Amino acid sequence: MRIYVGNLPYSVNDDELRSVFSQFGELVAAEVIRDKFSGQSKGFGFVDMPNKAEADAAIKALNETEMKGRKLTVNEARPRAERPRGGSGRY
């Protein structure tokens, strides 16, 4: 199950995110999303857990908890909405 983690402190890295969620079970991946040019955290990330029961437990336990002074938003990730590709719109 893919989990969305929002309102992350900008100082949090992938390893810290993994550490927080690993106490609830096995993780496939933990990634803080970063700006592709600056490398700065965008303040959210995703965690992949293969066991739905463990993922649900992590969501329930961590949603609205505080991490480095920020209240986390933790829920099941929703599929990304289709959006038009960039471009000038001219042909």
Side-chain angles (χ1 to χ4, degrees), residues 33-90:
I33 304 303
R34 300 188 172 281
D35 181 86
K36 62 183 168 185
F37 299 110
S38 71
Q40 171 69 37
S41 167
K42 289 190 171 186
F44 70 95
F46 295 96
V47 175
D48 290 306
M49 298 180 78
N51 183 304
K52 182 170 177 12
E54 291 174 352
D56 286 339
I59 290 169
K60 187 175 182 178
L62 295 173
N63 188 43
E64 297 193 3
T65 60
E66 202 169 284
M67 181 180 204
K68 297 185 181 181
R70 297 188 68 152
K71 192 179 282 193
L72 299 179
T73 300
V74 183
N75 53 43
E76 185 173 350
R78 294 185 289 278
R80 195 162 143 173
E82 284 297 315
R83 55 182 205 209
R85 290 283 172 189
S88 66
R90 294 186 217 139

